[in-house]
Amino acid sequence: MKRNIFLFAFILFFIASSNGQSINYGLSIGANLTNMKGNGIKNSFSAGWFGGGFARIDLSEKWNLKPELLFNYANNKKATNFINYYNINGNAQASEQIKLSYINVPVLIGYKVSKLLTINVGPQYSFLVYDDENLVLSDKAVAVKRNDIGILAGVQVNVENVRFFANYVAGVANVNNIDDRYKWYNRQVFIGMNFNFF
């Protein structure tokens, strides 16, 4: 799946470049609120942060394509009833904190409603690069799957070369790596800004 997303972004980038479309590069930074929804996980949003880069390809006056590469630090919390669901494989003494770091690759299609407002939608692939939790009994086991897929929708306010945005990502892949009985899905809110480098 991640190869398909990278290939899709590359093909669109190549087509836009060969047709002489305008391309801008820049940085994105901001804060996130994350919630891993599912049995044994606390149903509340926790704060984190993200940062990375993007390429924005103007396909027409109204439409643009924006692949991004982001580092995303996400916080979640174990629920008090966690061990009730995972009494065989779960660690009863596990820490409440679940700290995860992802490389996110959203590929967004933007539609400029007006000079000030743009709507963005598209898929997001995420790869887990750091996992700090001890929910599973074995020291080498991790409770969260490495790969995640989500659907992103958001709004963006354009002010010269700076854009302020709010995005919501709904995970569509089950990231529970403990067993197949219960499903976990990531929910994320990104609030930030991006600006052109060149």
Side-chain angles (χ1 to χ4, degrees), residues 23-44:
I23 304 175
N24 295 289
Y25 303 92
L27 297 178
S28 295
I29 56 172
N32 65 43
L33 295 170
T34 58
N35 173 25
M36 190 182 293
K37 185 175 176 63
N39 298 89
I41 304 298
K42 192 170 184 179
N43 189 23
S44 64

Side-chain angles (χ1 to χ4, degrees), residues 54-89:
F54 69 89
R56 191 179 69 256
I57 306 160
D58 293 328
L59 303 175
S60 71
E61 186 179 342
K62 289 285 189 180
W63 295 92
N64 67 71
L65 173 73
K66 189 169 70 170
E68 298 182 89
L69 185 65
L70 305 173
F71 179 84
N72 178 27
Y73 176 75
N75 283 310
N76 294 282
K77 292 183 179 180
K78 178 193 73 171
T80 54
N81 63 353
F82 172 83
I83 202 63
N84 294 343
Y85 294 101
Y86 305 101
N87 48 46
I88 297 175
N89 299 313

Side-chain angles (χ1 to χ4, degrees), residues 182-194:
Y182 309 110
K183 299 183 185 300
W184 297 346
Y185 295 98
N186 280 316
R187 302 286 186 265
Q188 300 175 319
V189 177
F190 294 93
I191 301 171
M193 62 181 289
N194 59 49

Side-chain angles (χ1 to χ4, degrees), residues 92-124:
Q93 306 303 318
S95 169
E96 181 190 30
Q97 297 296 321
I98 302 170
K99 300 178 181 179
L100 307 172
S101 295
Y102 287 93
I103 297 296
N104 292 353
V105 185
V107 181
L108 306 180
I109 294 289
Y111 177 74
K112 188 180 288 187
V113 178
S114 67
K115 185 178 179 180
L116 255 166
L117 184 66
T118 300
I119 296 174
N120 295 309
V121 296
Q124 174 176 282

Side-chain angles (χ1 to χ4, degrees), residues 143-155:
V144 182
K145 291 179 181 177
R146 295 290 179 193
N147 300 287
D148 188 22
I149 299 291
I151 302 298
L152 183 152
V155 294

